[in-house]
Amino acid sequence: MGPEELAIITNPQFINATFSAGENWYHNLVAQVQRTEALARRRNEFEVANTELVRVNRQLVSGVQEQNLRWKRHAETIVHQFNERVAQDERLYTELLADYQNTLAARQKNGRELREMTALCSEKDASISQLQADLAGVRGSLGATQDALAHERQSLASVRDESSRTQSALQAVQGDRDRLQDGLKQAEGAVSALEASQREAALVTQAVEAAGMTVMYVTAQAMEAWAGQGKPSMLDNLMTSHFKAGGQPMTMREYLWFATLIKEMKSRSIPDRLIVERCPVDGIAASNGIAASNGIEDFLARDVAISEKKKDAADGRDIYVGWFVVDGVCHPFGAESKRNCMRMMAGFVGEMAAKHAAHEKQYPELAELSPYWFSGIYTTPDIELLMSNKDIDPDRIDVFFERAIQAYMRDPNVKISAFTVPGQTLVVGGYSQTLFAAISDDGNAFSAIVSTDEDGAQAWLADHIANEVGPSLGKPGLSIEEARTLMKTDACPTPVVDVLLLTVSDGIEMRLKVANIGAAA
């Protein structure tokens, strides 16, 4: 490419004019429909969400109010009964006191009469004895009266204890009301956070769709310009001014996608952290805060420079693939690097542990029987390290990963029966946003290939089983169904012979989207 063509392609006016034309074309095409549908959809969603929130709040407040009223009525009843009992005790005490005073007066009178009778006539011993007997009876009655008074005092103490318990119950009800109010506040906070996350996800989706349309238009314009000049496409030429995360090479096609996506996301005021997640390019990857914002601005403002070197045909068409066999089901994962693939697989184990913890909390007795595919799993320090973004020595990461997973396979309650350390695999086929993994694994040896076409992956697996696995088992031309039966052993009760949808990382997903947009253009 000569300097004139390069100047045309890298001229900011040309780029800005091209981007502006794409944006005008796209926005004029879908702006009115998007606004109408988005407003109606958001209005309905917010009305439904607000109605549900009001209903839940009313139910919670009504329940708390009813409970408070019941406890209040119960407390008032107890206090009323206590007051009646105290009034009754006071009446009994007054009556007993009057009887005691009467008895005491009678005893004093009898004493005076006795002294008078003794002074008057000592010969009336019989009468004196009778009076003494009467006095003994009065003393017995007085003792009984004192016992009754002590019993009533004990009853009064019991009533006071019951009143104390009632007050404690009222305090407990108030504590429950406070906890319910705290729970309501936490629920409102969770709903707000969820609504914010949904709004951000909707904005990201809009930005991705808008960027896709813009890039397709810009790419078509560039292809027409190159064709008109009789020059080959430069979309697969490597950039010398911009790179992907970690210094990986970036093509012009990828630069157009990332630059457009970043502009669309910035125009919608999407937080920088989401831009960093979606756009793994140099200067902003693994950044946050001011560093991420500065890196984004630098990426957009940096002068564009394109080399004459084309991207290697095999570059970007390889992937690291690993899998688990859990309760007889194979779960394959794919990522752009071994470390990221291990992080995805460790994250899958972490999800199993979270499901098991929730089941154990809700059904503790049933959880002990380990009935589900995620049963028995707990996160270990090794799994937590693999789930994190911390670096691990590349020379020992395979051994570290094997040791972390083998710890689960020694537990009889865990349903993980097999796994494979992530290995590099070539992606075959055309352009697609979906990848399929064809896997043959008998527990001792495995083979795998990743294809963009499910039928192509199925054909490769059938050919591999017939021409490689079959002869090794003494049965050339072996079918897939026959291989599943013959490969099953005590050591490997669930061999994997299947074509499965591959769960891919965000980086691979973005790479597939960029390649697909370029192919569509």
Side-chain angles (χ1 to χ4, degrees), residues 373-436:
W373 63 276
F374 53 78
S375 295
I377 292 287
Y378 298 91
T379 55
T380 64
D382 288 348
I383 289 295
E384 291 176 354
L385 178 58
L386 287 167
M387 290 171 59
S388 71
N389 292 322
K390 296 181 179 179
D391 294 331
I392 301 176
D393 185 0
D395 295 332
R396 56 182 294 270
I397 193 170
D398 288 355
V399 175
F400 184 84
F401 182 81
E402 289 184 4
R403 184 183 65 187
I405 305 303
Q406 287 289 353
Y408 291 109
M409 299 181 65
R410 290 191 290 267
D411 188 343
N413 294 324
V414 174
K415 306 298 178 72
I416 299 177
S417 59
F419 73 96
T420 301
V421 176
Q424 195 170 15
T425 304
L426 183 65
V427 180
V428 298
Y431 294 98
S432 173
Q433 296 189 31
T434 307
L435 295 180
F436 298 91

Side-chain angles (χ1 to χ4, degrees), residues 14 116 167 202 213 240 250 252 256 281 284 322 328 331 343-344 356 365 382 445 462:
F14 172 80
E116 290 175 356
Q167 291 177 351
M213 298 295 292
T240 58
M250 176 185 294
M252 184 179 178
L256 289 175
V281 298
I284 69 172
H331 302 268
R343 184 179 295 111
M344 292 177 65
H356 173 66
E365 296 180 356
D382 288 348

Side-chain angles (χ1 to χ4, degrees), residues 265-277:
M265 296 177 79
K266 292 289 287 184
S267 67
R268 290 168 173 78
S269 300
I270 295 176
D272 290 340
R273 59 180 177 80
L274 296 180
I275 298 178
V276 171
E277 292 176 3

